[in-house]
Amino acid sequence: MVRARTNPTLRSPFPAAFEAICDIFLTYFDDATSGLTKALKDLLTNTLSLSATLEASADVVRTLATRGLVGVSVGEGKKGGYYALDIAVRKGAGAAATFEYAGGAEKLVGEMLANLIDRNLGPAIGKAVVTLLVTRRKELIDEGKGEKEWLQIWQEPVKKALVDEELRPRIVNYVLPGLLKPSAEGFKIFVQSLGLSEEGTVTGAKDSGLGALLSCLKTGKELGFVGEIGDDTTGTRAVVYLNSELVIPLLGHALSHIRVAAFNLVVQSASITRPFSPGALSILKQALPPLHTESDAEVRDLIIGGIRNLIERIACSSYATEKELKNLQQKLRTGNRPTPDDIRKMIELDSRINDAKQFCEWYIELMETLLRPGSNYQRCITGLRALGFLIRSGVDACIADRTFAALPGHGSTASNGESFKKGLFKWPEFSKDINIFRSGIKRVLLEAMFDPFEDVRITSSEILRFDLKWDIDSLKAFLERGLTAMNESGRARDSDGFARTVALVFGLAKRGDVAFPENYKIWGFAIKDDKSGLGVIKWVLDILEKEYLKVAEADFLRAIKERPIHGIFESLVLILESKGTTEDEDTTAWREVHVQIFEHCQTIWRLTRAPLCLDSPEGHVPADFDEEDEEMGTQTVMSYSWRAIKESSALLGIILGKASFSSLDSADFEKGGKLVLEQLADIRHRGAFSSVSPSFVALCTRCFNSADANLQELPRTWLKKNLEVILEKSAKITRRSAGLPYLIVGVLASETDPKRPLLSSTIARLQEIATMPAISSASGEKMDLPQVHALNCLKFLFVDARMSQIVVPFMGAGLELAVSCFGSEIWAIRNCGVMLFTALTNRLFGLRKSRNDYSSGITTRSFFEKFVAVRTVLLKNLQEKVGSLEGGDAISVEMVYPALSLIARMEVDPEYQGMDDFLEPIELCMRSRMWKVREMSARAMAALVGPKQVVAAIKVLMAAGPEEQNVLHGNLCAVRALLERRVRQAELQEGEQVWTRIADIFNARFEDLVVKNKCSVTKAVVLQILSLHSEKFKTSPAFQTTIESYLIRNATQEVFSSSVVGRSFFKEHLVAFTLLFKPTLVDSLFSHTDEEILLYTADYILAHPELGITTPTTRLWELATTHPWTLIQTSSLALLHLSPPTSASESDFNKVFALLESPREPIKEAALSLLGPLICVLPEAAQAGAMEDLLLKLVKASDEEEPYTTRMAALSSLSSLAPLLQLKEGINEALIPAYTLIYDFLNDDDDEIRMLSASLAQKILGSDILLLPLAAAEKLALQLPRYFPGSHALLKTAINRITSGEKAEKVWEKATKKDTILFQREKQNLWVDIVGSIELWGVVAELVLARGVGAEEIQSLRGWVKDAKAVIAVKEQAEGDGEVPGGWGREEETVCFLARVQVAARVVGME
């Protein structure tokens, strides 16, 4: 059409026709599918080609650039617009002309970079920005100008954007590579403007500036502009060389984005074959241990990505280095005499290879340290993931060939004809000497299979499959110890660990890596050697039948306590999941296995059915239940039952879903389906029926995909039966209909017919049931309500992830049904209608970010044109029910409120007239006597008012007087909503004068609506609106004068003359209003006789410290120490902490100290926080005693068992003492407890406490940067021997940290005490690395002892070590070596004790 110009529009002059083409392109580009996107791009390309033919290209590209800029300045640019702008500039629109049209280069670049906040626009904006700036550079060069003139255009806006942490990643990904690539000189100038010196260091930069600089340096390094750290000879293009003094501290920075950026800076290189310098490898050895402790999952992923790049670069660079060395050696073998340069080169290359080998060996040893029992989750999972990458890289040549057998892509051919192996790199010859699966690594991996965290167990078991060398007797011992642990505790970690061990044995047996001798027994049951793995499966089935099911049938309670069965079922699940299907498998043998499994699944269902199907399953009590048994409770019974059904149903699902058809028959599918259907229909325990559902889906999927017509028909039969169950079980109503929705979705999610006939018919049937007339019960008896089940099933269909796309065509009908339920006389139906409505609105609009968030990107036009019937039903119900609101009809409220909330979620379309009919009912709702209805209708009003009408609408709404308070309240709520959602848009369209006009409206109505108004509620709403937008209203001098006049007239006294209803609400907003518009009145607020005003004043100042309001110290002292109301006392203490007094007496300190004995926790915590600042302003003579008293309290408050708020109060108090705690020569050793307290806070379980502690450590250590808590803790501990040389107090502290401060026998007793209670209480600090801490304090003790002191302490410690070794010897004599996998030394507490003994022995020379 474009080429032929057949369309009438295109017969007009071409530039005018091009406007129409631009409209088409910009309208459809953003939401286009890939095919349409390509077509639109072709349209634009063809149009530009035609414009050149018609000699109209200059006008066309100018038009294209102009249209592309639309919306950029107000943050509403579109992807198509940025693409058009990019094309226009490339085709000759010119960067200078584009900048001029947009109001300046710096302005346009800044606006475009700010719009990167929308991640969907990132690639389009980045490309457009780079095109504009690179084009402008070429223009400047043509004009005879240089890099400095070019940098002046973009330097400041790019720096500003890079400082923003949210924008920075997108700047780095989409802008910097293309922007910095053209000019190495420009790159150097730019990074120097960010603070980098000629020497490659940086000083005095803020954290945001560091992040920006590191991001640029990383990009520069990838481009070859930045040399390798520790090597200033590499890279011919390098213009910047970095000093290691810049990178080392940043790798331990407390802010994660700086740590990650610094790590990537060390690892990245322009060439992956460039070897690391020795200095860089040394830096990495320092940095990597703490980088494996990241608590944030997203940061861990970034670190893992960096580690993967590190491993790849070490492999590729060392291989390339070895290749270069061999080439050089080959050259010399030909008889050429080596030159001194050749010899130096060979020595250097050999050194680099050895460095790489030593680093790999060191890193494997680090993995063993990270994975030791007791390590926290962060260390374990990061170490396991890194170890997995290392194994798959092929660094251990002994296992490389077997590593990739089961990986996706194995066996395919690369372009060079070599076999493709994902993740495998070429390594030097030293890979033949690397042994990853050494005994220590293998032990910690086996122990990790019993870790409390599931992904640690999964990852460790996957890694162990790569090991080729196994001893069957060691495996047997480990397996039996795991089975014992499972029987004793029944915990998920032990059951799952045992199951994964069995699955590992199965895999090894099938692979031929282990063989079972004849008559070999494990746990007393024979296990046969069978390369198919059937021997292992039959061994498990023997144990299941004879050891577990037999006990359960004879004594159910004993089975619950001593034979938790779910681990046995899970082992079969894991085996069959990994087994696969082979052509030559023994069909008869597998048939026997399947028959046994079916029987066992039916048996366990029969045994556990009673507790799972009770209407209140948590309350089921077996007949022979012993209430005095501490290890047995209804919770324990339920746990046994639902876990057994979860694993047995999963096992059933795997067989029916994956087993070979030759080992199954149609009766198996019918029998399995009947069992699963029965479970889903009858079970009432949510965890149980949700775990059965996947098995039903697998079964239905297998049937649908079968070539057998009878099997294909089974799901249809089940679906028909399931729909009948909805009617049959209509008397059994639960909140979400238990497993019934799973019965319906299980079939529909598996349907293979693309036309989805079952889905259509099922939704129609469910709608039919849902709309059946409900028969009310006059006698109050329980009613049959199949409508509830139908509505719950429909809701589940719309929220289930598997159905998310295929149910979209039915969402309109679903909304219509939900809205129609609002008018039902039966609460259960109305409630289900609301839940369905909520599920659908969340699908359409997304989840609300906060309670008051009603914004969305869907306009009224787009919504109602898509769901026409919904508009009709909504409008009809609103019009019918709104008149009943005044009578307080509950049904009317339940109908109206959700309907209003739906309208409130939409964005206005000023041109859409379909909302006109809603205006009257919404206005009537705004007058309702129901507060919540008025508020929601006011929010809905925002969907009817466009930006250009907002000021006029506000004027009309504000015209209401105080005569009708409900009307006034509804109108004011609407004004509040309009100011939140529409005024910003109006301001962008019409300028700042919008706020001037609004301020004039409020000024004119202030007298009537505030001064003369006696209603507390409506006055409060006016003041709330003014407070929310105080900065805008303050720009009106006239209105500011009116407000100040009102406040000066002692407005706070009005609380006594305003209505009682809503008076507290009024007080709260009056206080906020006063402090925002006249903060000098703070003294009068604190002098007020009304207690609520006192409280609201204190709380508002605490919530807004940025206002910098000066508080009356004397009055606060009075309130803090004498006021009877706890809340006022607590807030006053907090205010004193926020603005501490400049001086205090011992009496003041003692008054606050006495509050620590208060029975009220908030007062105790507030007083504790204040004591630190008070000590700093006490007379010097009183500080020592006060400090000693306070430290005792802080130590107690910092205990890990204390709540977060108490620990935070203690840290806040301690942080205030920073000026007194700065480490310096001659400091009093009485402060040592304060430093150990800071050390403990740096190892607290809570991230926020650790970060605040790091800030405190920075102050007392005098560090330039904020260190990672782990790094700060180590640095602090190692600094103590320097500032307290030869201190007995420090030595005793270190020894207590090593020995736990108790006798060896007592520590051993605690460490080895077995806790077999299923629901045990976890320790509170899961973060601290106890073993690492013990080792660190051992170093501290050695540093103190190096001063020649501590003879008495050494003697005492020797005795402790002797006693500890004695109890260990007794244990070894009774139970053997604890170091074997699964031995008595595997528990965290035992590992810690052994570490204490080892470190203590090292300190006193008894190793």
Side-chain angles (χ1 to χ4, degrees), residues 1153-1380:
F1153 195 85
L1155 293 176
L1156 296 180
E1157 304 304 320
S1158 170
R1160 300 178 180 90
E1161 287 299 322
I1163 291 180
K1164 290 168 64 175
E1165 291 169 358
L1168 192 63
S1169 297
L1170 179 58
L1171 287 170
L1174 287 183
I1175 287 180
C1176 293
V1177 295
L1178 281 176
E1180 190 173 345
Q1183 284 183 341
M1187 178 76 81
E1188 185 177 350
D1189 293 339
L1190 177 60
L1191 286 175
L1192 291 174
K1193 296 291 184 182
L1194 293 180
V1195 169
K1196 182 180 178 182
S1198 66
D1199 188 270
E1200 67 178 39
E1201 297 292 332
E1202 293 292 330
Y1204 165 81
T1205 52
T1206 301
R1207 302 200 314 277
M1208 182 59 83
L1211 176 58
S1212 176
S1213 185
L1214 193 61
S1215 297
S1216 302
L1217 297 171
L1220 302 178
L1221 296 176
Q1222 287 185 341
L1223 285 171
K1224 54 189 176 183
E1225 301 295 334
I1227 195 167
N1228 191 340
E1229 69 175 12
L1231 295 177
I1232 289 175
Y1235 299 115
T1236 57
L1237 195 55
I1238 296 170
Y1239 176 87
D1240 289 337
F1241 278 129
L1242 286 164
N1243 286 283
D1244 192 88
D1245 190 64
D1246 187 87
D1247 287 347
E1248 188 175 355
I1249 288 179
R1250 292 200 301 272
M1251 287 299 293
L1252 291 174
S1253 305
S1255 179
L1256 172 58
Q1258 180 187 16
K1259 295 174 185 175
I1260 66 174
L1261 291 170
S1263 175
D1264 291 332
I1265 67 167
L1266 185 64
L1267 289 174
L1268 186 69
L1270 197 64
E1274 182 178 351
K1275 185 174 182 180
L1276 174 63
L1278 295 177
Q1279 287 291 311
L1280 294 180
R1282 173 187 170 189
Y1283 290 100
F1284 300 101
S1287 168
H1288 287 274
L1290 179 58
L1291 180 58
K1292 289 178 180 178
T1293 298
I1295 290 174
N1296 281 339
R1297 296 269 168 163
I1298 296 168
T1299 64
S1300 189
E1302 295 180 305
K1303 290 184 178 180
E1305 295 86 349
K1306 187 72 173 176
V1307 181
W1308 174 253
E1309 182 183 346
K1310 290 180 180 179
T1312 54
K1313 182 181 178 181
K1314 286 190 176 182
D1315 183 2
T1316 58
I1317 297 175
L1318 177 61
F1319 299 102
Q1320 67 170 5
R1321 187 171 184 267
E1322 287 186 340
K1323 68 173 188 175
Q1324 297 303 297
N1325 192 340
L1326 299 175
W1327 165 262
V1328 63
D1329 177 14
I1330 299 176
V1331 174
S1333 184
I1334 292 168
E1335 292 173 347
L1336 178 60
W1337 285 103
V1339 174
V1340 172
E1342 289 173 327
L1343 290 173
V1344 176
L1345 289 172
R1347 297 278 183 167
V1349 297
E1352 183 180 339
E1353 288 85 354
I1354 290 176
Q1355 189 63 32
S1356 175
L1357 188 57
R1358 284 179 180 274
W1360 189 93
V1361 172
K1362 184 178 178 182
D1363 293 343
K1365 289 186 174 181
V1367 295
I1368 292 173
V1370 172
K1371 187 73 170 179
E1372 288 177 336
Q1373 188 173 3
E1375 299 184 25
D1377 185 7
E1379 296 293 318
V1380 298

Side-chain angles (χ1 to χ4, degrees), residues 814-832:
L815 266 175
E816 182 182 354
L817 174 63
V819 173
S820 68
C821 291
F822 296 165
S824 174
E825 295 180 357
I826 299 171
W827 177 87
I829 294 177
R830 294 200 304 274
N831 181 56
C832 288

Side-chain angles (χ1 to χ4, degrees), residues 438-480:
R438 54 195 70 175
S439 60
I441 284 281
K442 185 179 287 191
R443 182 201 169 195
V444 294
L445 285 172
L446 285 168
E447 304 289 10
M449 286 203 297
F450 289 81
D451 190 87
F453 294 94
E454 184 180 24
D455 47 351
V456 171
R457 299 196 296 269
I458 292 172
T459 310
S460 59
S461 62
E462 289 174 349
I463 289 174
L464 280 166
R465 296 174 191 273
F466 291 119
D467 189 15
L468 308 178
K469 300 174 182 177
W470 293 91
D471 175 65
I472 186 59
D473 291 330
S474 297
L475 268 177
K476 172 187 174 180
F478 182 71
L479 189 59
E480 290 180 339

Side-chain angles (χ1 to χ4, degrees), residues 233-245:
T233 62
T234 58
T236 56
R237 298 185 65 198
V239 293
V240 170
Y241 295 95
L242 300 179
N243 194 311
S244 60
E245 293 179 5

